[in-house]
Amino acid sequence: MSPFLVPLCLFSLVQHASGLEEGYSGIAGVKTSYKVLQEGEGSDVVEKGDTVTVHATGIVRQTDKKFWSTKDAGQKPFTYTAGGGVITGWDKGAMGMRIKEIRSLHIPADEGYGKSGFPAWGIPPNGELNFEIEVLSIKGKGGKSKAQDL
């Protein structure tokens, strides 16, 4: 038996048992998972208290329908405060991102819009979400630009 076969099998079992889809990583303390689609640039990362500007697209997992995108006509990038300015899954899933990094987030209902959903946007009760987030700029807690539009 190959010495690599046992670790590979164990990795597959752990990934399956954790419920993560292939290529997705877990986040300590939450059920949201993420996959890096494009690596970021620089050393500055999203941290609690930062003002972060992103492009974002949200899709309801159950219906595969887009409910919001900053890239749609008439929309503009979205700015929020990391550490509580958005739903839990997005907030935790974006921590540690760098400028120009793009992540796909899988957000369970209880870390999204929960039991009530967000009917005005087409998000049903207990709706799970997929978000694609691209960091455009990060400003530190004092408003000082960490990095912007590299």
Side-chain angles (χ1 to χ4, degrees):
M1 179 185 296
S2 166
F4 299 108
L5 188 56
V6 172
L8 182 60
C9 288
L10 287 174
F11 175 74
S12 294
L13 282 172
V14 168
Q15 207 172 20
H16 178 70
S18 68
L20 295 177
E21 290 186 37
E22 187 173 338
Y24 281 76
S25 299
I27 302 166
V30 294
K31 294 177 252 176
T32 294
S33 60
Y34 74 95
K35 180 179 185 177
V36 175
L37 303 178
Q38 176 180 296
E39 293 291 336
E41 299 176 355
S43 59
D44 294 323
V45 297
V46 174
E47 299 173 307
K48 185 176 181 178
D50 288 344
T51 299
V52 186
T53 301
V54 299
H55 269 309
T57 299
I59 295 172
V60 176
R61 290 191 74 168
Q62 289 89 333
T63 62
D64 201 34
K65 292 198 178 188
K66 178 175 68 174
F67 60 86
W68 178 64
S69 179
T70 60
K71 294 182 177 184
D72 286 347
Q75 296 292 314
K76 60 183 180 176
F78 180 75
T79 300
Y80 71 99
T81 301
V86 289
I87 58 174
T88 300
W90 171 337
D91 192 47
K92 299 296 185 183
M95 291 291 182
M97 288 182 73
R98 297 179 294 144
I99 300 294
K100 293 190 177 181
E101 182 172 337
I102 302 174
R103 285 188 185 178
S104 174
L105 307 177
H106 287 176
I107 303 174
D110 61 338
E111 294 175 1
Y113 293 99
K115 292 179 183 177
S116 49
F118 199 128
W121 283 6
I123 301 170
N126 297 309
E128 295 182 3
L129 309 173
N130 287 334
F131 264 100
E132 184 174 288
I133 308 289
E134 176 184 5
V135 174
L136 304 175
S137 71
I138 305 168
K139 290 186 180 178
K141 296 176 187 88
K144 185 179 176 187
S145 185
K146 286 182 162 184
Q148 190 168 340
D149 302 327
L150 296 178

